[in-house]
Amino acid sequence: MKQRILVVGGLAAGPSAASKAKRVNPNAEVLLFEQGEHISYGICEIPYYIGNDVKDASKLVSYTPQKLQQVKGVEVKTLHRVEEIKPARKRIVVRDMDKDSVSEHQYSRLILATGASPRRLGISGEDGRNVFHVKSLEDGYGIKKFIDEEKPKKALIIGGGYIGMEMCEALKNNSIETTMLHRGPLPMSGLELETRKAVLSELTRNNIEFVANTQTKTMRTDATNKVVEVGTNKGSFQTDLVILSLGVQPNVGFCSSAKIRLGSYGGILTDQRQATSVDGIYAAGDCCEVKNLVNNKWMYIPLATTASKQGWVAGENAAGGRALFKGVIRAIAVKVFELEVAQVGISSDEAKKSGFDAVTEQITGDSKISFFPGNSKVTITLIADKKSGRVLGANVYGGAGSVLRANTLAVAIQHKLTVDDVFRLDLIYSPPFAPLWDPILIAANQLAKRF
C-alpha cells in the first residue's frame, strides 16, 4: 500500500516537513493542508516590508502552493482547516472553507505543524479595524494598506518584545508618532538589566515614548469601528493605529481529544524524532515545546530556525528515516534602530533557577581597532557556571558586528565550552573587522577573574 503522509500547516515547519518526506520517500503521497491562502513566507520580514526596507511584497513569499507542488512534488490544499484527528482510525477531519464542506482523509503518518496564534487582551474594541497583530502575511498587507490609505499620525504599540521593537522602526519610517505601552518596567523582558536599559535608551533617542508598568484596560472605537483612544492604568492615549505585540501561544486545539501530550507551556511534547505521544503522529514548529540544551528543561520558543529544523526531522522520520533533533540553546536577535541586540543561551535569572552558581561579567569593547573608520562599541554580558566554568549564556548589543559575535558565543554555548576555552579561541584580528583582542576574548578573560 502506498504511504500517505499528511501535513497540517504551512510557514516554516510544514513545507520543510512535507518536502523532506517526499525527498526521503519519493513514492509516498504527501499532502499539505493550510487554512490560509499562503503556505510559505517570512514572518520576520514583515516589519521591514511595512517600514519600506523591503519594497517588493512578492519577495516575502518563499513558495506558492503551485511552486511547492511543482518543485517538491507536494500536493497542497489551501483554505482547508483541519478540525479533528481520529488516531484510532488514522483519519483527520478537514473543512473546505471555500465550499464549507467537511471530509475525512486517511493517513499513514501525520505531521502537525499548526503553528501559533497571537495572544489577545480580551477587551472590547480589540477587533477594531485599525488594530493589528504582526503574525501573518495578511497582517502585513493589512497594516501596509491601512498606513498607505489612511495616513495615521499616531500609533500605539502594546507590548515591548521583539516584534514591538521592530515595529517601532517601521512606524517611524512612515513618519508616525509612536508610543509603546509595556507591562514591565523596561522593554524586552528576559534580557539582562543593562541590555534592557540600552534598548530603552535607543527607543528614547529615536523619539519613541515608552510607558512602563502599563495595563491596557479599554479601547474606545468611533462610528467606523476604528479605535481612537486606549485607556490604561497610566491614563488614556489617543491613537490612529494599534499594534498588538503580546506574544503567541501554540495552536493545539484538537490535541486534547486526540490525547496528544502537551507540556507546561501548552505546546506539544515530542521525542528527539519529533514523534508525539500518539503513534504515527509527529509535530514540528511553533505548536511544539522544545528542549533547552543548556539547562535540559522544556521551553517555548517560537522561531523559524527551530521550526524548519524540526520540520526536516519530522518529515524524514514520517517517511521512514532516522533523524534526530536534540534541542536548541536559544539564539535570537533584533535590530532596534541603530542598535543590534542578541541573546544566546539562558539568562542569569534562568541560570540561577536551573541550579547553576551563575556569575556574570559585562564589558564594552571595540568592533574594529579603535581608530578605524566605522568602529563602534560592542557590549557583552557573559554568563557562566562558577563550579564548572561552562558558558551558559550571553547578551550582546552595540553597533554593526554585534549580532555576529553572538553567533560565535552561541557555538561556544552549544558545545559546552568553558570560559577558559572561549578565552583561548583563535579569533580573527584584522583592522577593518576586529581588534587584536576581540570583545569576546576580553569578556571571557574578565569573567575568568571571578572564579
Side-chain angles (χ1 to χ4, degrees):
M1 181 179 174
K2 192 172 186 179
Q3 189 180 35
R4 195 162 198 256
I5 300 171
L6 303 185
V7 181
V8 183
L11 289 182
S16 293
S19 301
K20 187 67 170 179
K22 189 69 177 177
R23 192 156 57 248
V24 172
N25 184 357
N27 295 319
E29 179 186 358
V30 182
L31 177 58
L32 185 148
F33 296 95
E34 164 57 42
Q35 66 178 355
E37 294 182 30
H38 307 283
I39 60 162
S40 181
Y41 57 87
I43 290 178
C44 296
E45 290 84 351
I46 289 172
Y48 302 103
Y49 166 63
I50 296 167
N52 300 310
D53 294 300
V54 177
K55 306 288 187 186
D56 185 355
S58 68
K59 299 290 187 185
L60 301 175
V61 178
S62 303
Y63 280 92
T64 62
Q66 297 76 16
K67 185 179 176 183
L68 192 69
Q69 185 157 348
Q70 181 183 357
V71 176
K72 303 293 186 178
V74 175
E75 185 180 351
V76 177
K77 289 188 179 294
T78 55
L79 298 175
H80 279 65
R81 184 175 66 232
V82 175
E83 297 187 336
E84 187 182 353
I85 305 171
K86 299 180 176 180
R89 299 177 59 202
K90 289 202 167 182
R91 287 176 175 268
I92 59 172
V93 179
V94 183
R95 181 175 297 277
D96 182 330
M97 297 163 71
D98 259 346
K99 300 176 182 177
D100 198 26
S101 61
V102 175
S103 57
E104 291 194 4
H105 296 260
Q106 188 84 32
Y107 65 83
S108 309
R109 295 286 185 271
L110 177 65
I111 303 172
L112 301 178
T114 49
S117 297
R119 294 186 182 277
R120 294 172 56 86
L121 291 167
I123 62 176
S124 177
E126 191 172 4
D127 294 317
R129 66 181 182 86
N130 62 334
V131 179
F132 297 93
H133 297 275
V134 190
K135 184 63 182 71
S136 68
L137 195 57
E138 287 83 359
D139 292 335
Y141 290 156
I143 296 169
K144 183 80 165 134
K145 184 173 185 287
F146 183 85
I147 291 173
D148 290 346
E149 291 182 357
E150 305 213 16
K151 305 289 191 291
K153 290 182 169 53
K154 287 187 174 184
L156 289 176
I157 298 174
I158 301 176
Y162 286 84
I163 293 294
M165 294 302 116
E166 293 170 342
M167 285 304 299
C168 282
E169 186 170 355
L171 295 177
K172 186 180 178 184
N173 286 353
N174 283 281
S175 302
I176 301 172
E177 182 185 327
T178 302
T179 299
M180 174 173 280
L181 309 179
H182 186 54
R183 63 184 179 182
L186 289 166
M188 303 198 72
S189 309
L191 298 183
E192 302 301 309
L193 179 62
E194 293 306 315
T195 308
R196 298 173 72 190
K197 288 179 178 178
V199 170
L200 177 57
S201 177
E202 185 69 6
L203 293 178
T204 303
R205 192 175 72 84
N206 284 277
N207 300 313
I208 304 297
E209 182 183 0
F210 180 83
V211 185
N213 302 312
T214 309
Q215 296 171 2
T216 303
K217 296 184 174 181
T218 61
M219 289 187 179
R220 183 170 65 84
T221 56
D222 65 11
T224 71
N225 194 33
K226 182 173 125 179
V227 172
V228 294
E229 184 181 73
V230 172
T232 77
N233 61 320
K234 293 294 184 75
S236 296
F237 297 85
Q238 307 298 311
T239 190
D240 305 310
L241 170 64
V242 179
I243 302 293
L244 298 179
S245 173
L246 307 170
V248 298
Q249 56 194 8
N251 290 329
V252 294
F254 43 61
C255 288
S256 178
S257 60
K259 294 182 169 51
I260 295 171
R261 187 181 169 214
L262 305 180
S264 59
Y265 294 94
I268 298 171
L269 294 180
T270 68
D271 63 14
Q272 290 188 350
R273 299 174 60 249
Q274 294 303 129
T276 70
S277 58
V278 177
D279 184 52
I281 301 179
Y282 298 80
D286 293 359
C287 59
C288 297
E289 295 182 21
V290 64
K291 188 61 70 73
N292 187 318
L293 295 173
V294 183
N295 58 14
N296 206 36
K297 294 180 181 295
W298 290 99
M299 67 176 177
Y300 183 60
I301 180 164
L303 294 174
T305 48
T306 303
S308 191
K309 292 170 188 173
Q310 288 179 325
W312 293 337
V313 171
E316 179 166 336
N317 291 327
R322 301 176 63 85
L324 296 178
F325 180 75
K326 296 182 179 180
V328 300
I329 64 160
R330 186 202 281 123
I332 188 166
V334 65
K335 179 177 177 286
V336 186
F337 294 98
E338 298 306 313
L339 190 72
E340 295 185 2
V341 182
Q343 180 188 25
V344 288
I346 61 177
S347 68
S348 56
D349 283 344
E350 287 172 322
K352 290 167 188 172
K353 289 175 183 176
S354 300
F356 293 107
D357 184 4
V359 289
T360 65
E361 183 65 45
Q362 179 179 295
I363 67 94
T364 299
D366 294 302
S367 64
K368 307 175 182 183
I369 59 170
S370 60
F371 51 86
F372 199 88
N375 174 56
S376 59
K377 295 297 181 182
V378 178
T379 298
I380 297 178
T381 303
L382 205 56
I383 304 153
D385 176 40
K386 191 169 185 177
K387 182 178 178 182
S388 65
R390 177 184 165 196
V391 179
L392 304 173
N395 280 192
V396 184
Y397 67 85
S402 297
V403 163
L404 292 181
R405 282 181 167 85
N407 263 342
T408 301
L409 290 169
V411 174
I413 293 164
Q414 187 161 351
H415 290 274
K416 299 182 179 180
L417 299 191
T418 66
V419 172
D420 186 62
D421 291 331
V422 172
F423 174 65
R424 296 176 189 279
L425 289 176
D426 188 15
L427 301 183
I428 288 169
Y429 161 44
S430 177
F433 306 112
L436 173 62
W437 287 96
D438 192 274
I440 291 172
L441 304 179
I442 296 172
N445 185 46
Q446 290 299 111
L447 184 54
K449 296 175 183 177
R450 303 280 303 279
F451 285 71

